[in-house]
């Protein structure tokens, strides 16, 4: 076969594996010890695309992290593989940048195609909640005249929607904090006396 001896038996078989696509020449020689005759055949081995394969294990991640399925770009025969995803917003290459609203459990169906065959598998993905720190927006410097009332808005919010508790340290005497409407309209009020000349 292709100028290489593969057998000296009068019968047999030969296996063309998945890397032997193309044209081959098979020659058979028969001899009685004195005379020899031969015959040659041309064998055309057609290319067969095998289904793409991959194995996905369950994944646990945290909000804000990137999940990469690390899927092969080509199959065993070096053919391009394309993917579709159902159940989570992965991009074409199997990458998902999770957001802070993505906590939960997902069952994602991954379908791979090499134009001739499709292969699919489901993968379990758990995205854990990540608690973000609350935000506090305050003016760096506040001015007030003695005897006049200062009303300082305390702007605070939590991106995860958690309830906030606001507390203070070293408040001047007579200062009053008023909280209304679930952490909105929070006002710190203070009227300095006429002998309050310190910052």
């Amino acid at each position: 076969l292709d100028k290489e001896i593969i057998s000296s038996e009068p019968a047999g078989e030969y296996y063309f594996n998945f890397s032997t696509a193309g044209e081959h020449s098979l020659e058979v020689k028969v001899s009685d010890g004195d005379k020899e005759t031969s015959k040659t055949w041309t064998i055309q081995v057609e290319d067969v695309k095998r289904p793409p394969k991959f194995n996905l294990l369950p994944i646990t991640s945290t909000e804000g992290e990137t999940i990469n399925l690390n899927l092969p770009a080509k199959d065993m025969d070096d053919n391009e593989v394309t993917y579709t995803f159902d159940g989570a917003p992965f991009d074409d290459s199997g990458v998902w940048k999770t957001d802070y609203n993505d906590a939960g459990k997902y069952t994602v169906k991954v379908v791979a195609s090499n134009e001739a065959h499709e292969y699919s598998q489901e993968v379990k993905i758990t995205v854990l909640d990540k608690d973000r720190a609350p935000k506090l927006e305050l003016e760096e410097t506040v001015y007030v005249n003695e005897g006049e009332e200062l009303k300082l808005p305390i702007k605070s919010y939590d991106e995860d929607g958690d309830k906030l508790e606001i507390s203070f340290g070293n408040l001047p005497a007579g200062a009053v904090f008023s909280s209304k409407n679930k952490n909105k309209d929070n006002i710190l009020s203070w009227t300095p006396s006429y002998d309050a000349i310190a910052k």
Side-chain angles (χ1 to χ4, degrees), residues 65-104:
E65 294 180 345
T66 298
I67 300 174
N68 190 340
L69 297 179
N70 295 312
L71 297 167
K74 295 186 177 183
D75 62 18
M76 295 177 286
D77 301 312
D78 207 35
N79 298 305
E80 297 288 337
V81 179
T82 58
Y83 295 92
T84 59
F85 307 90
D86 183 21
F90 283 94
D91 64 17
D92 292 342
S93 58
V95 177
W96 175 21
K97 177 67 171 72
T98 64
D99 200 354
Y100 287 97
N101 297 314
D102 290 330

Side-chain angles (χ1 to χ4, degrees), residues 18-29:
F18 287 96
S19 63
T20 55
E23 188 174 283
H24 300 269
S25 176
L26 176 64
E27 182 182 18
V28 176
K29 294 180 180 179

Side-chain angles (χ1 to χ4, degrees), residues 169-188:
N170 302 321
L171 282 178
V176 176
F177 175 65
S178 174
S179 178
K180 300 177 182 178
N181 198 16
K182 295 183 178 179
N183 299 322
K184 295 181 180 179
D185 302 326
N186 299 319
I187 301 294
L188 179 66

Side-chain angles (χ1 to χ4, degrees), residues 132-153:
R132 290 170 287 180
K135 303 291 185 179
L136 185 61
E137 298 178 357
L138 296 175
E139 299 180 36
E140 290 188 8
T141 306
V142 178
Y143 296 93
V144 61
N145 294 323
E146 291 178 330
E148 294 181 0
E149 183 181 24
L150 167 69
K151 289 190 175 183
L152 179 64

Side-chain angles (χ1 to χ4, degrees), residues 21 25 36 41 46 51 88 101 117 119 138 197:
S25 176
E36 182 181 89
W41 294 269
E46 297 294 337
N101 297 314
H117 301 280
Y119 173 78
L138 296 175
I197 58 173

